[in-house]
Amino acid sequence: MANIKSAKKRIKVTAAKTMRNKAVKTQLKTEIKKYEAALESGDVAAAQAAYKSAVKKLDQAAAYGIIHKNEVAHKKSQFTKKLNAMQ
């Protein structure tokens, strides 16, 4: 266990950030699964709604620095391609 005050604070801050990152990643994965399920169902309206929410979560994750912006661009491109193929 840390003895120095700044080291104790770093432990607390790291724990808080880890929890936030986990929550955002979990929400992102859930939205992606919902989008893929909407694609599988064949419902265009549901797929478009799920696409919007998935892209929003991707952008939020990139803003927090949880995933890299290029990875976000790649995923958004894949999602758009799948949605356009469906229509």
Side-chain angles (χ1 to χ4, degrees), residues 2-4 7 20-21 29 32-35 43 51 57-58 63 66 68-69 71-72 81:
N3 292 324
I4 298 169
R20 187 195 68 194
N21 291 347
K29 288 178 188 176
I32 290 172
K33 286 178 188 175
K34 285 180 184 177
Y35 173 66
D43 186 10
Y51 170 81
K57 286 292 179 186
L58 280 168
I66 294 171
H68 196 273
K69 64 179 183 172
E71 183 181 351
V72 170
K81 210 183 262 189

Side-chain angles (χ1 to χ4, degrees), residues 16-47:
K17 285 184 176 184
T18 301
M19 285 174 44
R20 187 195 68 194
N21 291 347
K22 268 189 195 176
V24 172
K25 278 186 184 178
T26 302
Q27 290 170 354
L28 176 63
K29 288 178 188 176
T30 302
E31 291 300 325
I32 290 172
K33 286 178 188 175
K34 285 180 184 177
Y35 173 66
E36 290 172 352
L39 286 176
E40 290 293 320
S41 71
D43 186 10
V44 176

Side-chain angles (χ1 to χ4, degrees), residues 45-78:
Q48 287 175 338
Y51 170 81
K52 274 188 172 183
S53 62
V55 166
K56 183 176 179 179
K57 286 292 179 186
L58 280 168
D59 289 335
Q60 286 175 344
Y64 281 134
I66 294 171
I67 56 177
H68 196 273
K69 64 179 183 172
N70 290 349
E71 183 181 351
V72 170
H74 182 91
K75 285 188 182 292
K76 284 165 64 171
S77 175
Q78 286 177 329

